[in-house]
Amino acid sequence: MSNMILLPVVFPIMLGFLLLLVTERVFSNRKILIYMTGVSFILCALLSCLAISGAAGERLVLFRLPDNIFVCLAMDGLGRLFAGLVTLIFVLVGFYSLSYMRHERNEKRFYGFYLITFGVLMGLCFAGNMVTLYMFYELMTLATVPLVLHEGTKEAVMAGLKYLFYSFGGAYMALFGIYVLYRFAGASDFKAGGFLDASQSGDTGLLLVSAFLMILGFGVKAGCFPLHAWLPTAHPAAPAPESAFLSGIIVKGGVLAIVRTVFYCFGAETLRGTWVQTAWAVLAIITVLMGSSLAFKEKVLKKRLAYSTVSNLSYILLGLSMMNTTAFVGSMLHVVFHAVIKSALFMFAGALIFNTGRTRVNDYIGLAGRMPVLFGCYTIVSLGLIGIPPMSGLVSKWYLAAGCLESGISVISWLGAAALLLSALLTAAYLLPVSVKGFLYAPVDSSLIEQYREPGPLMLVPIMILAAITILIGIYPVWLIDFIRGVGAALM
């Protein structure tokens, strides 16, 4: 049964390479490409579900490196949570892309790298130790760069290079910490609560520096200040399906790596009350407010949503920095809610660009009359991100604020709770005007918008599903809270 954990890693990667290697003549009829790709999405999702349903504690060694270092996959609660989320968004964004990408060039290449990225992400979710996680983390960067570069414009190329530069820079900082971990504890498997005994290391200062560098390095992918600038550059340049997957899932790879670093390697007890915790919390608070403020000022819709991602990811990092169970529950809830909501928001932006060719917020005045379902879904998920009941965002923000106040880190705990409240107000200010102007304002040119209509089912249905999930997990969050609390209780 342990081999099942390998299939959702290897199978999508093989399919992706096969798609890249097959000549264009095989797919001279686009329907063949669409059917084969759609079937591939379903098969990959089924294999992922089979692996997730496997017994916890399963471990599969892939190969052995010198110095007794193993590259291995393992199954635990955290891996299940992230793998399930990746699979959900992968399938919905994938089917959305089957409609969106028909007006783009090099469709086959896009789907090939998209499948490879899914396999690599499964490896990241199921990584059994830091060496394995780092390997898949770097592969995730390499697999997603072609998706950012896809359109081939100067803007896309520069965005891809910036993404690559920042990602590798952060990864090298994290690599230093991995070397230090190996020196003091060897290539140990992840352990709930951490495997490092700092009291016996004899060099606590070096351990704290390495922990901070790993948090900062992996935080690059999570868009944390001061290494966040790649994110608002990459989003507008990438196709909308890639923007949705990038914002919903890829950036969560950085969050997962930080959780593994802090709670499964160093241990919360090692870092709690140190300068590392304080510095981490301060950077998260700065990013929360900075991202929301920049999103409020931005007029290009995809770039506005990108700055929003910067802010909301630091909600998650702020909760993790509090290092208590309540805040951890809030962070992991926000991982799920943000993935669902932000994927829907970027797919909404892509549908508007696909239908109208317009990119700026003020270009959509009065369009809701022609696209009521699309704008209705946007309004639902926007309310979810703001945290208006009964939407899901309220639940995660409640736990995050409570966790901040519970931590008792002098003034930081109060600043964290206040930053969450202020950011929620800014979120309302930059998201709701699109709905208000879309539904309540008269169009600037009525004759021009007559040509616009709702997007096709392949684009609209995934957005509708995500909007429905936003409501359902806001009304019935208890099962998810209990699952996450079970994971978090073992870490603190």
Side-chain angles (χ1 to χ4, degrees), residues 87-290:
T87 303
L88 172 68
I89 303 302
F90 165 78
V91 171
L92 293 177
V93 172
F95 277 99
Y96 170 94
S97 70
L98 296 180
S99 178
Y100 181 92
M101 293 302 294
R102 73 171 182 262
H103 78 301
E104 296 276 348
R105 297 174 298 167
N106 301 312
E107 272 189 275
K108 182 173 72 70
R109 185 182 70 191
F110 177 88
Y111 297 133
F113 281 109
Y114 187 66
L115 285 164
I116 291 171
T117 299
F118 176 70
V120 170
L121 284 168
M122 287 294 104
L124 186 72
C125 294
F126 298 144
N129 57 35
M130 187 53 74
V131 172
T132 309
L133 182 143
Y134 186 81
M135 182 185 77
F136 281 108
Y137 186 85
E138 290 285 64
L139 288 174
M140 177 179 67
T141 298
L142 295 175
T144 50
V145 165
L147 298 175
V148 176
L149 292 169
H150 181 80
E151 293 187 355
T153 62
K154 182 180 178 180
E155 179 190 9
V157 171
M158 295 307 296
L161 291 175
K162 191 172 185 178
Y163 169 57
L164 194 65
F165 176 79
Y166 272 76
S167 296
F168 280 170
Y172 292 147
M173 283 192 283
L175 186 59
F176 173 82
I178 295 173
Y179 288 148
V180 174
L181 276 175
Y182 178 77
R183 173 187 168 187
F184 288 114
S188 303
D189 285 358
F190 291 132
K191 177 184 176 183
F195 56 74
L196 184 68
D197 188 349
S199 63
Q200 298 180 8
S201 70
D203 198 343
T204 305
L206 179 59
L207 285 172
L208 292 180
V209 170
S210 64
F212 184 70
L213 286 176
M214 290 181 76
I215 292 169
L216 194 62
F218 287 133
V220 170
K221 197 73 85 200
C224 187
F225 176 85
L227 300 171
H228 64 284
W230 68 269
L231 212 155
T233 304
H235 275 303
E242 166 57 11
S243 293
F245 202 59
L246 182 67
S247 186
I249 295 300
I250 300 300
V251 294
K252 304 302 188 304
V255 173
L256 175 59
I258 289 174
V259 174
R260 292 296 194 190
T261 297
V262 173
F263 299 102
Y264 289 82
C265 293
F266 287 92
E269 283 298 324
T270 302
L271 301 179
R272 190 181 290 120
T274 66
W275 65 267
V276 174
Q277 183 183 25
T278 303
W280 183 14
V282 169
L283 287 178
I285 291 170
I286 291 172
T287 313
V288 165
L289 296 176
M290 179 199 66

Side-chain angles (χ1 to χ4, degrees), residues 96 100 103-104 147-148 151 155 231-247 294-295 298-310 342 345-354 358-361 364 378 430-431 434:
Y96 170 94
Y100 181 92
H103 78 301
E104 296 276 348
L147 298 175
V148 176
E151 293 187 355
E155 179 190 9
L231 212 155
T233 304
H235 275 303
E242 166 57 11
S243 293
F245 202 59
L246 182 67
S247 186
L294 292 174
E298 182 57 51
K299 301 303 180 186
V300 176
L301 180 57
K302 284 181 71 176
K303 202 166 184 178
R304 175 177 288 191
L305 296 177
Y307 280 122
S308 172
T309 295
V310 170
K342 194 51 67 73
L345 288 172
F346 271 105
M347 286 195 280
F348 165 82
L352 284 179
I353 294 170
F354 184 89
R358 303 178 182 190
T359 61
R360 300 180 69 84
V361 174
Y364 308 130
Y378 170 86
Y430 65 71
L431 287 180
V434 177

Side-chain angles (χ1 to χ4, degrees), residues 382-440:
S382 294
L383 292 174
L385 196 63
I386 296 164
I388 302 298
M391 309 302 175
S392 56
L394 173 68
V395 183
S396 59
K397 291 183 180 183
W398 179 273
Y399 276 89
L400 285 169
C404 285
L405 297 176
E406 184 182 311
S407 67
I409 312 176
S410 62
V411 72
I412 298 295
S413 59
W414 291 94
L415 285 177
L420 293 173
L421 178 59
L422 180 56
S423 179
L425 295 174
L426 288 169
T427 302
Y430 65 71
L431 287 180
L432 291 184
V434 177
S435 295
V436 172
K437 292 180 181 180
F439 279 107
L440 302 181

